[in-house]
Amino acid sequence: MTILTVEHMEARHGLLKAVRGVSFHVSQGEVVALVGANGAGKTTLLRAIAGAHPPSAGRVLFRGTDVSAIPAYRRAAMGIALVPEGRRLFPQMTVEDNLLLARATGRSGPWTMDRVMEAFPHLQARRKSKAAHLSGGEQQATAIGRALMANPEILLLDEVSLGLSPLAVERVYASLQSLMQSGATILLVEQDLKRALAVADRVMCMLEGTIVLEGPTKDITRDQVMAAYFGAEHGKKQRKAVQ
């Protein structure tokens, strides 16, 4: 069952067209990795889906309902949760208070404070610590936990490993692995190509605002992704959908 559909999405930053006619869908329970070089339009695309960046054209459909004109807070209440690049925590609030903020969506579901602490056990000892005093990995875990506390139907993760130490990345992904295995629906932006291909069911590569390569990870080689990533001729001629 399709949970998210993006149709002919365009988004701008002033005169710069960051996203150019992007269309794709995400099925329930699917993990989709969105990769591409810096400036390819990945973050803008995720923000447009979440309602944090106004598109200049196109539609976003969530479970068949057009949510393009619906503000971000209402999309969150419907079940679309964004973990933004840079975490965007409230630095002077505790881990616990940052997590509790997600209750404002009013969504009920299986994700509670205790379950988040089980998923990210290294946060347990930091529950009463201010977010400003956390390590990068702890901040990322808190940001993901906050999104989960909203009990989303789809989780948009932007640059999970950006700026983190290798150990912190391992910890975060160890927690995410169980989440992925539980059947969560995830659209993941990840700079670590090897890791993205390892965890995703499907990969999409963006170049200059468009999707130039798409298909199941089992059918796409790393070389094909790299060619599309850097705009090699056979990677940028047209979008390739591998069946």
Side-chain angles (χ1 to χ4, degrees):
M1 178 187 295
T2 298
I3 189 170
L4 175 72
T5 302
V6 175
E7 295 181 347
H8 313 296
M9 171 71 73
E10 295 188 1
R12 296 176 176 271
H13 292 283
L15 297 177
L16 173 66
K17 187 182 288 187
V19 178
R20 304 165 179 264
V22 167
S23 297
F24 66 92
H25 71 276
V26 178
S27 298
Q28 187 166 351
E30 189 177 28
V31 178
V32 179
L34 184 62
V35 302
N38 289 340
K42 308 182 300 298
T43 291
T44 302
L45 177 58
L46 250 62
R47 286 173 52 80
I49 293 169
H53 187 99
S56 54
R59 298 197 304 166
V60 177
L61 287 82
F62 181 63
R63 292 199 174 280
T65 299
D66 188 347
V67 299
S68 306
I70 293 177
Y73 74 93
R74 286 185 55 199
R75 294 191 206 188
M78 294 173 72
I80 302 174
L82 172 66
V83 179
E85 181 182 1
R87 277 82 80 173
R88 307 286 180 89
L89 300 174
F90 290 91
Q92 297 307 311
M93 293 175 63
T94 65
V95 168
E96 190 171 273
D97 287 340
N98 269 280
L99 294 174
L100 289 173
L101 280 174
R103 288 185 177 175
T105 63
R107 287 183 60 83
S108 61
W111 285 99
T112 62
M113 181 71 68
D114 288 343
R115 187 171 175 192
V116 168
M117 292 300 162
E118 289 175 8
F120 299 94
H122 55 290
L123 286 184
Q124 181 64 51
R126 307 288 272 159
R127 284 180 71 151
K128 301 299 182 181
S129 298
K130 291 184 178 180
H133 300 158
L134 303 179
S135 68
E138 290 167 342
Q139 289 182 357
Q140 186 65 285
T142 302
I144 296 171
R146 179 178 61 184
L148 292 174
M149 286 281 287
N151 284 287
E153 294 191 46
I154 184 169
L155 188 60
L156 312 177
L157 295 173
D158 194 4
E159 298 287 12
V160 173
S161 64
L162 184 65
L164 301 185
S165 69
L167 177 59
V169 172
E170 288 296 332
R171 278 185 170 181
V172 170
Y173 266 94
S175 298
L176 284 177
Q177 196 66 43
S178 61
L179 176 63
M180 293 171 178
Q181 291 172 350
S182 72
T185 306
I186 298 174
L187 180 56
L188 166 73
V189 169
E190 177 53 80
Q191 62 173 350
D192 185 333
L193 184 56
K194 181 179 179 181
R195 194 174 292 276
L197 294 175
V199 302
D201 302 305
R202 184 157 52 95
V203 63
M204 300 187 299
C205 184
M206 289 189 73
L207 176 70
E208 297 176 354
T210 65
I211 296 177
V212 293
L213 181 72
E214 177 184 1
T217 51
K218 64 183 178 62
D219 295 334
I220 293 182
T221 67
R222 180 182 174 87
D223 287 345
Q224 286 177 304
V225 177
M226 292 298 289
Y229 193 104
F230 292 109
E233 190 61 31
H234 67 276
K236 68 180 180 180
K237 281 182 179 178
Q238 61 182 9
R239 171 177 173 172
K240 177 182 178 182
V242 180
Q243 303 298 331

